[in-house]
Amino acid sequence: MERMNQVRTVSVYALHIDLVRGMDLALFRERMPERAEKAGRFYREEDRLRCIGAGLLMMKAVGIRKESELRYGAYGKPFAPGYPGFNLSHSGPWCVLAMGEGEIGVDIEAPDEAHLCVAPMVYTPEEQAWMRERPLERFYMLWTWKESVMKAMGLGMKLEPGSFDVLPFTRNEPIALRGKRWYMKSGEMGGLRYSVCAAYPFDLAFYDLTEMDLRF
């Protein structure tokens, strides 16, 4: 019980995709050939850069040496046996990776008013009432909270976002879901909202990677 309540550290690594432009990616293609091929199939440059950026974060932050070390859960969540737990997200010009012990989830989103119309489909009536005071800001607070929980659990959209309530996070309290307590930390970065979830109390250590950090 003491270990369960101990405050641990979750590290968040952020990479701006502008740092990927012009990089020599020969070693990346050698170590992560499938991801490099996947990136090449995207039509939009930003999509290609985000895909590569996520791979670079796995290599530089987690320490993954080659793509064959990666495994995937039943619903697509990546992990690597022998390495810390981690999770990835990207939106706009940013890729982020959260890393720590056990089950970790992270989500980052660029606010877009066009998404407000889906609130009745993904939020409980109580959550919808809470977001009305500041609709855009609170929509994305709720969404990144829910998404990071869903990802921490390894279920993704298999766990319907409207099926659980995240309002305890507004009081800095954990939520209880499927036999565990889930804790949350959130913030903003370059106008985007991000949230990190873990199955234990934690503090965040944040790292904004520089071009020098990315050199192989």
Side-chain angles (χ1 to χ4, degrees):
M1 182 64 68
E2 182 180 350
R3 177 60 173 163
M4 292 291 293
N5 293 324
Q6 180 181 344
V7 176
R8 303 177 224 178
T9 299
V10 172
S11 298
V12 175
Y13 298 85
L15 168 64
H16 197 286
I17 61 174
D18 281 349
L19 297 179
V20 182
R21 289 189 175 96
M23 282 186 62
D24 181 355
L25 296 172
L27 189 55
F28 175 80
R29 294 188 183 97
E30 177 184 327
R31 294 184 180 179
M32 291 207 163
E34 293 180 14
R35 179 165 285 268
E37 182 181 353
K38 176 183 177 181
R41 294 197 297 267
F42 286 111
Y43 177 76
R44 297 175 65 246
E45 183 192 28
E46 279 198 355
D47 293 328
R48 293 195 297 272
L49 294 175
R50 283 192 288 261
C51 185
I52 293 169
L56 289 170
L57 283 173
M58 287 189 283
M59 294 173 68
K60 300 300 290 186
V62 184
I64 292 171
R65 295 168 298 233
K66 53 187 179 180
E67 200 163 33
S68 60
E69 294 180 313
L70 288 171
R71 302 290 184 271
Y72 295 88
Y75 301 105
K77 183 180 181 180
F79 66 97
Y83 290 92
F86 68 91
N87 195 228
L88 292 153
S89 184
H90 48 67
S91 183
W94 289 98
C95 300
V96 294
L97 181 146
M99 182 173 66
E101 297 180 43
E103 297 153 303
I104 301 290
V106 63
D107 188 50
I108 185 169
E109 299 288 346
D112 185 343
E113 290 187 352
H115 294 155
L116 294 178
C117 62
V118 307
M121 294 176 277
V122 296
Y123 299 148
T124 66
E126 294 79 12
E127 290 168 340
Q128 293 175 62
W130 180 76
M131 69 170 274
R132 287 188 191 115
E133 184 178 332
R134 298 196 296 275
L136 189 61
E137 175 189 350
R138 290 187 171 182
F139 177 93
Y140 281 97
M141 291 175 72
L142 290 167
W143 182 255
T144 57
W145 289 343
K146 284 179 180 275
E147 183 78 5
S148 60
V149 170
M150 292 150 61
K151 294 174 72 177
M153 297 179 72
L155 295 174
M157 292 303 294
K158 185 69 175 179
L159 175 62
E160 294 185 7
S163 68
F164 63 101
D165 185 351
V166 293
L167 288 180
F169 294 146
T170 67
R171 304 184 294 272
N172 294 317
E173 298 172 359
I175 65 169
L177 190 61
R178 298 203 175 187
K180 291 188 177 182
R181 293 165 70 85
W182 301 92
Y183 296 79
M184 186 66 60
K185 296 286 185 182
S186 300
E188 292 186 2
M189 180 177 60
L192 279 68
R193 162 72 53 178
Y194 71 88
S195 293
V196 181
C197 177
Y200 46 81
F202 65 95
D203 290 326
L204 282 183
F206 191 91
Y207 303 94
D208 185 351
L209 295 184
T210 65
E211 192 167 7
M212 182 175 297
D213 293 321
L214 291 174
R215 293 174 185 169
F216 292 103

